[in-house]
Amino acid sequence: KRLILIGPPGSGKGTQSPIIKDEYCLCHLATGDMLRAAVAAKTPLGVKAKEAMDNGGLVSDDLVVGIIDEAVKKPSCQKGFILDGFPRTVVQAQKLDQMLEKQGTKIDTVLNFSIDDAILEERITGRWIHPSSGRSYHTKFAPPKVAGVDDVTGEPLIQRKDDTAAVLKSRLEAFHKQTEPVIDYYSKKKIVVELQAEKPPKEVAEEIQKVLSS
Ligand code: AP5
Ligand code: ZN
């Protein structure tokens, strides 16, 4: 399967991705995770992306389309993939369609993580992540076994630089202005399924199971 997960910051895309990935053996392509790794490693891509990310704006279409273009060609992604955080603009969606057309494939389903903005600040400000795996925790909703430490590796957890109430405002603005039109783009193709993303993680996972097995 080839899936897209769309939703505002904190809607649960990164939380649900590993569950879908394990079940269907798909590759998980999260542009946010890839960009954060590039910023941390100070690669040319990371240097270009850093300012927009710190301010909660979008990185340029050319940069992110380049990353995805490389990734979807990888042998490990031929069986299918989960796109988490991409496409975020209509231009990115059009470029993606062109890429897949060349490979003779297409997107099967777009999961729309629908949730009220008001819930997101608590989710974002309470999040702790394990940078190298992308695993995320929440002080209240999904606490690690030991505070500040990853359950699997025992390595320290960190908070994302853009996970403040102030930067969240800009990220939400970018979502409503630039990414919501992407949902309309795929709605016209009749491949969007809406999820009630304010429900507990387990219930969201069950909803996704139902959609993907039908
Ligand atoms: P990105 O990393 O994609 O961030 P985002 O879209 O803002 O999404 P988040 O990762 O914040 O949210 P999520 O939905 O994954 O939430 P999670 O599951 O962790 O992008 C970051 C930046 O990179 C962008 O701002 C931009 O600058 C740049 N960028 C990336 N892609 C780009 C692109 N295509 N084009 C241009 N620029 C791009 O959950 C959040 C918290 O809530 C966690 O603590 C979790 O434990 C908890 N939680 C999850 N689900 C539930 C639940 N059901 N109930 C209670 N708590 C829950
Ligand atoms: Zn995420």
Side-chain angles (χ1 to χ4, degrees):
K1 283 190 196 293
R2 291 175 181 81
L3 310 174
I4 290 175
L5 313 191
I6 295 190
S11 57
K13 306 178 296 293
T15 299
Q16 298 298 331
S17 288
I19 305 173
I20 312 173
K21 183 185 171 218
D22 290 347
E23 180 99 348
Y24 292 91
C25 295
L26 303 175
C27 71
H28 173 212
L29 302 173
T31 40
D33 292 347
M34 297 178 197
L35 290 167
R36 273 185 292 281
V39 170
K42 297 196 170 79
T43 66
L45 168 70
V47 171
K48 286 182 199 144
K50 187 176 189 307
E51 195 185 333
M53 294 182 75
D54 286 350
N55 297 326
L58 294 187
V59 174
S60 81
D61 287 335
D62 285 347
L63 290 182
V64 285
V65 167
I67 307 181
I68 290 295
D69 193 20
E70 258 177 47
V72 295
K73 285 180 191 153
K74 284 190 186 153
S76 56
C77 292
Q78 295 312 304
K79 273 195 195 153
F81 50 72
I82 305 162
L83 292 175
D84 163 1
F86 181 94
R88 258 177 156 90
T89 65
V90 172
V91 170
Q92 291 178 17
Q94 290 164 337
K95 293 257 167 82
L96 174 66
D97 276 351
Q98 291 165 11
M99 261 180 240
L100 296 180
E101 214 171 294
K102 275 190 210 152
Q103 299 190 351
T105 60
K106 62 178 173 49
I107 296 296
D108 299 303
T109 306
V110 176
L111 298 174
N112 174 18
F113 284 63
S114 176
I115 189 164
D116 199 288
D117 282 4
I119 299 176
L120 299 173
E121 186 176 320
E122 190 181 18
R123 284 202 188 175
I124 286 291
T125 52
R127 169 164 59 187
W128 288 80
I129 62 162
H130 177 241
S132 62
S133 69
R135 266 186 291 281
S136 59
Y137 298 87
H138 192 283
T139 47
K140 184 165 156 194
F141 305 125
K145 287 179 193 134
V146 180
V149 175
D150 178 46
D151 286 353
V152 179
T153 61
E155 289 166 358
L157 302 176
I158 61 155
Q159 287 198 289
R160 266 168 58 176
K161 205 175 172 198
D162 59 346
D163 276 353
T164 62
V167 179
L168 174 63
K169 280 208 182 105
S170 309
R171 289 160 65 194
L172 279 173
E173 213 178 284
F175 176 78
H176 291 303
K177 266 198 207 148
Q178 293 169 276
T179 307
E180 266 174 351
V182 177
I183 301 171
D184 299 334
Y185 175 89
Y186 289 115
S187 293
K188 291 190 186 117
K189 300 181 190 279
K190 303 203 173 3
I191 55 171
V192 179
V193 177
E194 187 170 322
L195 300 172
Q196 305 304 314
E198 70 281 356
K199 289 186 180 165
K202 256 200 179 158
E203 289 180 34
V204 178
E206 282 164 12
E207 240 184 291
I208 295 175
Q209 293 297 359
K210 263 190 228 156
V211 171
L212 297 183
S213 60
S214 67

